[in-house]
Amino acid sequence: MCGIVGYVGKRNAAPILMDGLDKLSYRGYDSAGIAVIGADNRIGVRKAKGKLENLSRLLETSPAAGSVGIGHTRWATHGAPTDANAHPHMSCDGRFSVVHNGIIENYMALREELTVSGYTFSSQTDTEVIVHLIEMYYNGDFKEAVMKATSRLEGSYALGVLCADCPGKIIAVREASPLILGIGVGENFLASDVTALVAYTRNALYLDDGEFAEL
């Protein structure tokens, strides 16, 4: 099973994301990654196959600074356990980043449609179609683009989405895959399992299928 974490607040996001991923590692995984929005409002992605220690070493040499971010531990389904197939996935223009738990059953048809429209894929995953759909539908309204993209998806998904144009926000969506919000004081959290949240808050909100949230 894959794991999702997210953080919005004033603290450095990367250590909180890494701690959350560590708490979720009992679920099993073969790669991990984080995406953080930096002070320049650009999304920096760091990901590595294998154990979390590999991602930790990467962050030592190539830090990801910022107070808003998402993270993911992946158990390979579509595509081998590689750095390229690890989450988070990025849009072609670098504006969006997505982490995803679940299975997109119609991803092959969507991938073909997006490829014909000129979008380039850098992974073998079903998840990458999501971030390119968001990119395709974006006209300046982050939430609307995510809603339009998810309306095209068939299957199960729990999503955490970043947008460089909205650097203080994460959008979360759930359909047939667990997703939990952690409500703090001046900061909020996102996770696929409450174990990643209890060190920071006991105030949790469980999303229902079809619900969106803006952190």
Side-chain angles (χ1 to χ4, degrees), residues 78-96:
H78 297 87
T82 64
D83 290 356
N85 288 333
H87 298 211
H89 290 290
M90 291 287 291
S91 59
C92 294
D93 61 7
R95 181 177 279 123
F96 301 99

Side-chain angles (χ1 to χ4, degrees), residues 120-161:
T120 302
F121 285 78
S122 58
S123 78
Q124 301 167 306
T125 68
D126 57 334
T127 300
E128 197 178 355
V129 301
I130 302 170
V131 76
H132 294 317
L133 280 173
I134 295 170
E135 181 180 11
M136 181 177 73
Y137 285 120
Y138 184 66
N139 63 1
D141 189 322
F142 181 20
K143 181 181 178 181
E144 180 183 57
V146 176
M147 293 181 73
K148 285 183 175 180
T150 53
S151 73
R152 300 287 309 279
L153 304 179
E154 298 174 7
S156 61
Y157 49 86
L159 305 178
V161 189

